[in-house]
């Protein structure tokens, strides 16, 4: 279950988790440099979204941290991931192209079990700091499917099909939408979310993830 104390943790470095005044210590900042890409891709073809950006390569310590954040009751790590995004001028510039940020939803049963939606915590922070609207009432996950990480490439394609639904589409009509997710592997999840969101007659859709596999 959700552990509220985890959010009130003392300030620690998000990587080594030692007490630290900043979200990352100097030693770890150097250590994660090799995984940091801050890659922004515009004009994406053959996808339901137009732009895509990510911060890290999904490997090494970053991979371990994301797994911990997602699966090991560590909601406090949202601070590390959101700060690293907000400190990156290239990514901040990219995010400013959008009016609304929508985190990829998880099924309500999974959210209850995990206690939090890892993408939502980060999107909320980005929304607050960059003053772009957080929208949680439009995209819903209707089916509690298997986690993508447990499936092969072929299974992933079908696993995400028709699992998301759109509600209150007037809330995002004619807006530029940024979809936020944790990991980009085949892109099936964000592509499926974009397809659903397109039905609301939005302008551009962009995608931002923490890492790319
Ligand atoms: Zn550290």
């Amino acid at each position: 279950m959700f552990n509220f104390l985890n959010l009130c943790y003392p300030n620690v470095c998000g990587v080594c988790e030692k007490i630290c005044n900043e979200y990352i210590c100097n030693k770890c900042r150097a250590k994660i440099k090799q995984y940091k890409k801050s890659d922004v891709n515009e004009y994406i073809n053959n996808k339901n979204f137009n732009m895509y950006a990510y911060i890290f390569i999904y490997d090494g310590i970053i991979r371990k941290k994301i797994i911990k954040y997602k699966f090991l009751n560590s909601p406090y790590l949202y601070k590390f991931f959101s700060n690293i995004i907000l400190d990156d001028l290239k990514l901040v510039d990219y995010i400013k192209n959008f009016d609304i940020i929508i985190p990829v939803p998880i099924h309500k049963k999974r959210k209850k079990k995990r206690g939090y939606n890892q993408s939502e915590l980060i999107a909320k922070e980005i929304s607050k700091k960059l003053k772009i609207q957080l929208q949680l009432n439009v995209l819903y996950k209707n089916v509690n499917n298997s986690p993508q990480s447990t499936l092969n490439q072929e299974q992933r394609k079908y696993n995400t099909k028709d699992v998301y639904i759109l509600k209150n589409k007037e809330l995002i009509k004619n807006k530029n939408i940024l979809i936020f997710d944790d990991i980009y592997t085949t892109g099936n999840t964000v592509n499926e979310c974009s397809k659903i969101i397109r039905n609301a007659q939005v302008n551009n859709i962009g995608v931002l993830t923490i890492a790319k596999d």
Side-chain angles (χ1 to χ4, degrees):
M1 265 307 284
F2 183 69
N3 182 354
F4 184 72
L5 280 176
N6 274 342
L7 286 174
C8 310
Y9 243 55
N11 280 345
V12 292
C13 162
V15 182
C16 66
E17 303 201 18
K18 288 179 185 147
I19 300 285
C20 177
N21 284 331
E22 288 188 73
Y23 67 90
I24 187 167
C25 71
N26 288 336
K27 224 168 143 183
C28 292
R29 203 183 281 275
K31 211 157 77 181
I32 64 162
K33 223 174 173 174
Q34 59 175 313
Y35 304 109
K36 199 160 177 283
K37 279 278 175 203
S38 311
D39 199 12
V40 175
N41 300 284
E42 292 177 49
Y43 316 111
I44 304 272
N45 284 324
N46 309 320
K47 295 274 187 213
N48 295 309
F49 50 91
N50 317 92
M51 290 176 253
Y52 170 53
Y54 66 97
I55 309 132
F56 294 112
I57 305 164
Y58 189 58
D59 199 12
I61 182 80
I62 294 301
R63 185 170 175 273
K64 276 191 206 145
K65 277 288 144 182
I66 292 177
I67 291 170
K68 182 173 186 193
Y69 178 45
K70 258 177 108 156
F71 299 112
L72 299 174
N73 190 30
S74 308
Y76 62 92
L77 284 174
Y78 86 92
K79 277 190 193 167
F80 165 66
F81 290 116
S82 47
N83 275 312
I84 209 125
I85 296 169
L86 292 164
D87 261 2
D88 191 304
L89 293 180
K90 209 163 136 189
L91 290 172
V92 166
D93 259 4
Y94 172 74
I95 295 167
K96 285 185 171 164
N97 287 309
F98 304 96
D99 309 303
I100 292 175
I101 184 165
I102 300 181
V104 168
I106 57 178
H107 192 268
K108 59 178 185 232
K109 272 192 189 148
R110 189 168 299 159
K111 188 169 174 183
K112 201 170 172 201
K113 202 169 155 211
R114 187 178 294 168
Y116 57 101
N117 170 354
Q118 70 282 358
S119 298
E120 184 183 316
L121 294 182
I122 297 171
K124 199 171 168 183
E125 197 65 11
I126 293 173
S127 153
K128 218 161 60 184
K129 296 278 162 65
L130 298 182
K131 301 194 169 35
I132 84 166
Q133 193 196 332
L134 175 74
Q135 187 48 268
L136 303 174
N137 304 315
V138 173
L139 188 67
Y140 290 86
K141 192 162 192 187
N142 212 15
V143 181
N144 200 8
N145 59 349
S146 320
Q148 286 288 82
S149 53
T150 61
L151 305 172
N152 69 32
Q153 199 161 350
E154 194 57 25
Q155 290 168 325
R156 283 172 188 233
K157 218 187 277 172
Y158 296 101
N159 190 49
T160 50
K161 230 178 151 29
D162 304 323
V163 298
Y164 298 99
I165 54 165
L166 187 69
K167 290 183 187 172
N168 309 311
K169 57 183 177 184
E170 68 284 354
L171 294 175
I172 56 171
K173 194 179 170 186
N174 297 327
K175 301 286 189 195
N176 295 307
I177 310 296
L178 180 63
I179 299 174
F180 183 79
D181 202 5
D182 45 14
I183 310 156
Y184 187 107
T185 306
T186 55
N188 285 322
T189 301
V190 287
N191 201 40
E192 190 65 23
C193 289
S194 304
K195 193 178 104 187
I196 304 296
I197 286 174
R198 285 240 165 271
N199 294 326
Q201 291 163 282
V202 296
N203 270 347
N204 284 321
I205 300 179
V207 167
L208 174 65
T209 68
I210 302 170
K212 185 168 193 265
D213 195 2

